[in-house]
Amino acid sequence: MSSSETFLFTSESVTEGHPDKVADQISDAVLDAIIAEDKNCRVACETLLTTGIALVAGEISTNTYVEIPEVIRKTIKDIGYTNADYGLDYKSCSVLTSIDKQSPDIAMGVNKGDDLGAGDQGMMFGYATDDTKEFMPLTIVFAHKLAKRLTDVRKQGILPYLRPDGKTQVTIRYNGFTPDKVTAVVISAQHDPHVELEQLRKDIVQYVIRYVIPQDMWDDNIQFFINPTGRFVIGGPYADTGLTGRKIIVDTYGGVAAHGGGSFSGKDPSKVDRSGAYMARYIAKNIVAAGLAKRCEVQLAYAIGVKEPVSIMLHTYGTGKLPKEEIKKLIVNNFDLTPKGMIETLDLLRPIYKKTAAYGHFGREDTDFTWEKTDKAEILRKQAGV
């Protein structure tokens, strides 16, 4: 893609009732319950869901006690799986746990008194663009808002025949890197068997698409694909096994930016897969907010047990106001990239994670999403002389 090219780009999202997202929320609900009582916990929690079963496994070291089955059932209930006809019912589903302690070999490299080594090796990416007020790609902004709206109209009783599972997808035509028009919207919404397809499609356009996407953004030939198979009654874990960490592109930038491959949910912030990705977003967003670039991608990379990153990469897509090396110096001088520094800067030892597990970890206005602050922008702007 170039700054003069016209192209179509697509991003997708899923509702909180999608089986993979249910798994993410359970994993993060377990983390929240533990970190609320024990800030020094080590949690790596994975969830698998299928018809009538929720299995939570992982490595957890903590000095507190959490009734994990209760956490699992409450999460499933809050999402809306309250009827056995949905294939998962919080009251009657089987809940299985298989929890062990964190490996002492890992703990030896991570737990270093007041210091902290990286909980694993890996690379993490952060991205920001000035295309939207959220500093996010417009395709993923619209996809998330459509998915959230599907849930809202279900829970508020506006479209009471909807069920928890659902997916959204938005295609936008770009002129250069500037979003122009929405050319296609795809929505698959799980529903009760009695609703007529024609009524569902009409309601989704009226109460979901029109609510989210301004009509002046519609292309003249916009296409709507609403429940394109014609029927979506069987859904959730009954139709598709759910697994933690299987929606990492939905969680981040909708495919616009690179991804290091590590998931976030179920991991305490000593795991740089999570804290490093949050810090990389924080850096990229502040660089764009400072006017140092219109688009920015930051990569951080770590070695297990080592506190300083082994590399820092910056990509501004030709929009930087300063040479990359000068911006990189600003990053090093203004952001503490050690695991301890990232945790303290972003105040990550709090039970804030369950709500990150649906509708994206980035571009949110919730004040608990501290990596969305632009409090470094003015400092960067002054130091850069821009």
Side-chain angles (χ1 to χ4, degrees), residues 5 7 9 129-132 136-139 142 171-182 216-217 294-295:
E5 182 183 359
F7 59 90
F9 194 85
T129 174
D130 66 358
D131 288 347
T132 63
M136 291 285 286
L138 188 58
T139 49
F142 279 159
T171 301
I172 292 179
R173 181 174 60 247
Y174 282 76
N175 294 324
F177 288 108
T178 303
D180 179 22
K181 298 289 184 180
V182 176
D216 61 4
M217 282 294 298
K294 293 178 66 63
R295 282 169 294 283

Side-chain angles (χ1 to χ4, degrees), residues 229-263:
T229 65
R231 182 177 170 86
F232 186 9
V233 173
I234 299 173
Y238 185 32
D240 186 15
T241 299
L243 193 64
T244 299
R246 210 159 52 178
K247 286 291 177 284
I248 57 177
I249 300 303
V250 170
D251 285 342
T252 53
Y253 307 101
V256 171
H259 196 295
S263 68

Side-chain angles (χ1 to χ4, degrees), residues 19 22-23 26 47-55 76 86-89 93-94 96 235-243 246:
V22 178
I26 289 173
T47 302
L48 182 144
L49 298 161
T50 187
T51 305
I53 299 173
L55 168 63
I76 294 170
Y86 300 170
L88 188 71
D89 173 25
C93 68
S94 296
L96 309 174
Y238 185 32
D240 186 15
T241 299
L243 193 64
R246 210 159 52 178

Side-chain angles (χ1 to χ4, degrees), residues 159-267:
L159 301 181
Y161 56 76
L162 292 183
R163 290 181 175 180
D165 199 356
K167 301 182 75 172
T168 65
Q169 184 174 287
V170 177
T171 301
I172 292 179
R173 181 174 60 247
Y174 282 76
N175 294 324
F177 288 108
T178 303
D180 179 22
K181 298 289 184 180
V182 176
T183 63
V185 177
V186 183
I187 293 182
S188 294
Q190 188 188 14
H191 58 85
D192 291 343
H194 64 77
V195 67
E196 295 292 333
L197 179 61
E198 182 180 351
Q199 183 63 47
L200 180 143
R201 287 174 170 167
K202 179 181 176 182
D203 287 346
I204 293 294
V205 171
Q206 180 177 350
Y207 294 105
V208 179
I209 296 175
R210 289 186 182 276
Y211 185 89
V212 170
I213 302 177
Q215 193 146 358
D216 61 4
M217 282 294 298
W218 293 20
D219 182 72
D220 291 340
N221 298 311
I222 191 170
Q223 294 180 289
F224 298 138
F225 301 92
I226 300 170
N227 284 24
T229 65
R231 182 177 170 86
F232 186 9
V233 173
I234 299 173
Y238 185 32
D240 186 15
T241 299
L243 193 64
T244 299
R246 210 159 52 178
K247 286 291 177 284
I248 57 177
I249 300 303
V250 170
D251 285 342
T252 53
Y253 307 101
V256 171
H259 196 295
S263 68
F264 306 150
S265 290
K267 296 178 180 177

Side-chain angles (χ1 to χ4, degrees), residues 29 43 56 112 147 160 175 223 274 277 312 314 335 337 380:
V43 178
V56 173
K112 298 179 177 180
N175 294 324
Q223 294 180 289
R274 183 165 222 158
I312 304 169
L314 180 74
F335 298 90
L337 301 180
L380 294 173

Side-chain angles (χ1 to χ4, degrees), residues 59 61 100-111:
E59 296 76 46
S61 296
D100 206 344
K101 294 181 180 180
Q102 183 187 51
S103 163
D105 294 344
I106 295 174
M108 180 175 61
V110 175
N111 304 330

Side-chain angles (χ1 to χ4, degrees), residues 286-355:
N286 275 275
I287 287 171
V288 174
L292 305 188
K294 293 178 66 63
R295 282 169 294 283
C296 181
E297 182 180 84
V298 173
Q299 185 205 54
L300 305 176
Y302 291 86
I304 187 168
V306 179
K307 66 178 185 177
E308 296 289 348
V310 299
S311 70
I312 304 169
M313 185 280 296
L314 180 74
H315 184 25
T316 59
Y317 304 85
T319 68
K321 300 292 181 64
L322 297 173
K324 291 181 184 178
E325 285 305 311
E326 291 189 25
I327 300 178
K328 184 176 172 181
K329 288 179 182 176
L330 292 173
I331 294 173
V332 172
N333 291 337
N334 289 281
F335 298 90
D336 186 341
L337 301 180
T338 66
K340 180 181 179 183
M342 295 189 295
I343 289 169
E344 291 180 349
T345 298
L346 301 178
D347 194 14
L348 296 179
L349 297 178
R350 296 175 294 138
I352 59 171
Y353 295 107
K354 181 186 173 186
K355 58 185 172 183

